Amino acid sequence: MDQMQSARVAETHSAGFAQPFLSDIKTLRERARKHIEDGAVIAAYRADRDTVIKLLNEALATELVCVLRYKRHYFMASGINADAIAAEFLVHANEEQTHADQIAARIVQLKGEPNFSPEGLSLRSHAEYVEGDNLIDMIKENLIAERIAIDSYGEMIHYLGDKDVTTRRMLEGILAMEEEHADDLSSMLEDLREG
Ligand SMILES: [Fe+2]
Ligand SMILES: [Fe+2]
């Protein structure tokens, strides 16, 4: 067999074996490409995506209303010389903002759209925007809002179960922080009543 012949034999063999193998690669590539278009939401997503996005948008509204309420209280408490409490309100405001950002990012990962519209914001929110006339009122209103958030996150976590572990874990992290917030506020209230 001369060089040319052996080259042709090799070519024939590789074509013969390569055909089914190449089509496998093609399938794999198509699947990977499809999954890339789907982003993080792969075919195996087991939760009801529309419902999860709706719930997350309500949570987003709740966090945004909490940011606004804590910000209002921060500036008002600063005015009545309650600097330590004002500082705590600001810390909470920033943490609620972080929660809002986490939730918005997850909505986008799920191929939804985060609703930041000011229109109807307080209606979408679970917690209310209450200004409060004095320091004790402010703390109480924040505590009520935190309790509402704790309740609704608990329900969402229960609903998600193992159907969307990523969202559930994110909400568990947020829930833990809302519990800390509620704890902080309870201590503030006790200190003020004792003092
Ligand atoms: Fe929060
Ligand atoms: Fe909170």
Side-chain angles (χ1 to χ4, degrees), residues 63 95-96 99 153 174 178 181:
E63 295 292 350
E95 285 169 346
E96 310 302 14
H99 297 162
Y153 282 127
I174 294 175
E178 310 305 7
H181 289 171

Side-chain angles (χ1 to χ4, degrees), residues 63-74:
E63 295 292 350
L64 293 172
V65 164
C66 289
V67 172
L68 296 172
R69 196 192 53 255
Y70 272 124
K71 274 288 175 81
R72 154 85 187 193
H73 291 179
Y74 161 65

Side-chain angles (χ1 to χ4, degrees), residues 1-114:
M1 210 185 283
D2 65 17
Q3 224 181 338
M4 195 116 128
Q5 271 179 318
S6 57
R8 204 169 298 134
V9 167
E11 205 179 301
T12 317
H13 277 200
S14 77
F17 289 112
Q19 201 46 46
F21 186 62
L22 274 180
S23 76
D24 278 352
I25 287 178
K26 192 165 169 272
T27 308
L28 285 173
R29 286 182 180 167
E30 277 170 3
R31 202 178 299 150
R33 194 170 292 278
K34 187 175 178 298
H35 286 177
I36 283 166
E37 282 161 10
D38 289 347
V41 186
I42 54 165
Y45 190 73
R46 285 189 290 152
D48 175 354
R49 201 151 51 91
D50 290 343
T51 304
V52 174
I53 289 167
K54 185 181 167 286
L55 291 172
L56 288 177
N57 263 318
E58 287 174 12
L60 174 61
T62 304
E63 295 292 350
L64 293 172
V65 164
C66 289
V67 172
L68 296 172
R69 196 192 53 255
Y70 272 124
K71 274 288 175 81
R72 154 85 187 193
H73 291 179
Y74 161 65
F75 285 106
M76 291 304 284
S78 301
I80 48 179
N81 275 329
D83 287 348
I85 289 171
E88 199 62 37
F89 287 164
L90 183 60
V91 169
H92 287 198
N94 291 335
E95 285 169 346
E96 310 302 14
Q97 182 64 63
T98 306
H99 297 162
D101 292 345
Q102 281 178 279
I103 292 166
R106 184 58 183 159
I107 290 171
V108 172
Q109 272 184 338
L110 291 172
K111 299 285 160 197
E113 292 182 11

Side-chain angles (χ1 to χ4, degrees), residues 7 71 85 102 104 127 131 150 172 188:
K71 274 288 175 81
I85 289 171
Q102 281 178 279
E131 293 178 342
I150 289 167
E172 283 170 349
M188 281 182 215

